Amino acid sequence: MDDTKVKGRQLEAKAPLPLLTPYKMGSFHLSHRIVLAPLGRQRSYHNVPQPHAILYYSQRTTKGGLLIAEATGVSDTAQGYTDTPGIWTREQVEAWKPIVDAVHAKGGIFFCQIVHVGRVSNEGFQPNGQAPISSTDKPVTFQLISTNSGDDAGQYISPPRRLKIDEIPQIVNDFRLAARNAMEAGFDGVEIHGAHGYLIDQFLKDQINDRTDQYGGSLENRCRFARQVVEAVVNEVGADRVGIRLSPFADYMASGDSNPKALGLYMAESLNKYGILYCHMVEPRMKTLGEKSDCLDSLLPMREAFKGTFISAGGYEKEDGNTAVAENHTDLVAFGRLFLANPDLPRRFELNAPLNKYNRNTFYASDPVIGYTDYSFLETST
């Protein structure tokens, strides 16, 4: 890892950057607007969070900083990747507690992202080897599920099974119970994962959702499942503890939509009914994993429509993050790869210090240290 040492001079902080100004998010007083984005790291062996996550998250905690935990499964049917965490069992809840405590001990605010991957799974991850569930029975035929080794040893995504109408309330309830468990584990709130081609997105997007019942067809129908999940979670833990992540423009896992602007705006407006704390949206320029596009669409209409805190994500760097906040295009900015490689990212931004480079080859490595907790901190000396 790059080891940045600044010697022979004292780095001096200048006037606060827009990203480093305080912000009040509901009852939470944030000291800056830099958010740790939810990042899957595949180091929760057998779907149980591990002690090494204590160091990983605490390293990236600042007093008054907001962190969003990696996508955490809501049930035993929700998994699609090796060693991703869950929060549906007692063992998992107890394993999360010391991790949350470590973040709180440093004054951080910690939300748990809860997810069901839907059809982005394999029979090997499913109870009794059953088919993954989805809004559809259309498979994602060209994708491989990544493995910890990062090689081509992944398993092909299995053809899914279309959920029956009378099965959907159980999935909604899984999200509700996961939210309850997250609060018991000590989290400050939950972020519902409605993005990136996973189950909620599989209902939202018309290039996946081919249903002809009340969960398919019109925008209202395709958004029904997402709204039911939000309502259930809000009723369980309170609107002031709930956020949602959406990616209307993205086409991860073949999850495109014919009118993403309309979808994003409809969801942003619909969410106001529930009074949730924040809406976290992925920029349209992030079309596929790790690649920016030149898409000229903007999240601004969604930002203007949603009445709570708005978080933007998607390939941000310091300069465009500052601009987005300064021009009131967003309230907070979520950083992923930069925060992964720079545990002291807010400090580096403050001092205009060099950044560590991230190593993509170790994003999903199973090692509890390499590529996980061994990224260096900025060192300053006079």
Side-chain angles (χ1 to χ4, degrees), residues 172-190:
V172 173
N173 194 53
D174 288 339
F175 276 91
R176 181 186 67 81
L177 293 175
R180 176 196 289 180
N181 288 343
M183 300 307 293
E184 183 179 344
F187 283 100
D188 297 292
V190 296

Side-chain angles (χ1 to χ4, degrees), residues 26 28 111 188-190 230-231 233-244 271-278 306:
F28 302 104
F111 272 56
D188 297 292
V190 296
V230 170
E231 182 174 22
V233 172
V234 163
N235 288 341
E236 182 64 38
V237 303
D240 59 341
R241 302 283 178 173
V242 177
I244 189 170
L271 291 169
N272 290 326
K273 171 184 176 182
Y274 308 103
I276 65 173
L277 183 63
Y278 71 76
F306 182 69

Side-chain angles (χ1 to χ4, degrees), residues 19-98:
L19 282 169
L20 296 174
T21 56
Y23 177 79
K24 189 173 185 295
M25 183 180 73
S27 62
F28 302 104
H29 294 271
L30 305 184
S31 59
H32 57 77
R33 299 169 186 249
I34 300 167
V35 179
L36 175 66
L39 300 167
R41 305 308 311 276
Q42 294 185 237
R43 289 168 168 86
S44 295
Y45 311 140
H46 306 293
N47 306 128
V48 178
Q50 297 295 307
H52 45 251
I54 296 172
L55 179 58
Y56 172 76
Y57 282 109
S58 64
Q59 282 180 331
R60 288 155 184 80
T61 301
T62 55
K63 185 176 181 180
L66 174 62
L67 297 82
I68 306 172
E70 62 209 273
T72 301
V74 300
S75 71
D76 59 356
T77 69
Q79 303 298 317
Y81 301 88
T82 304
D83 294 333
T84 52
I87 198 160
W88 72 88
T89 71
R90 174 55 46 190
E91 181 184 12
Q92 291 164 343
V93 171
E94 294 300 319
W96 272 116
K97 288 181 177 180

Side-chain angles (χ1 to χ4, degrees), residues 185-307:
F187 283 100
D188 297 292
V190 296
E191 176 178 284
I192 299 164
H193 197 339
H196 295 163
Y198 297 130
L199 182 61
I200 290 176
D201 212 24
Q202 291 161 29
F203 277 87
L204 294 174
K205 302 289 184 62
D206 63 11
Q207 290 185 17
I208 300 178
N209 187 340
D210 56 356
R211 303 177 75 97
T212 58
D213 55 25
Q214 60 262 48
Y215 289 94
S218 68
L219 259 180
E220 179 182 5
N221 283 354
R222 285 185 281 119
C223 295
R224 188 183 307 278
F225 175 64
R227 297 198 318 269
Q228 288 177 339
V229 170
V230 170
E231 182 174 22
V233 172
V234 163
N235 288 341
E236 182 64 38
V237 303
D240 59 341
R241 302 283 178 173
V242 177
I244 189 170
R245 195 180 211 208
L246 301 169
S247 59
F249 295 93
D251 57 5
Y252 302 117
M253 302 295 175
S255 64
D257 190 83
S258 63
N259 194 342
K261 286 184 180 179
L263 173 60
L265 190 58
Y266 182 90
M267 278 300 297
E269 292 172 341
S270 297
L271 291 169
N272 290 326
K273 171 184 176 182
Y274 308 103
I276 65 173
L277 183 63
Y278 71 76
C279 179
H280 181 183
M281 280 204 181
V282 180
E283 288 281 1
R285 61 186 176 178
M286 298 302 295
K287 300 290 287 184
T288 57
L289 284 172
E291 299 294 334
K292 289 185 183 179
S293 76
D294 295 325
C295 182
L296 299 178
D297 288 309
S298 171
L299 297 181
L300 188 56
M302 296 80 171
R303 190 272 196 281
E304 293 175 340
F306 182 69
K307 299 187 184 307

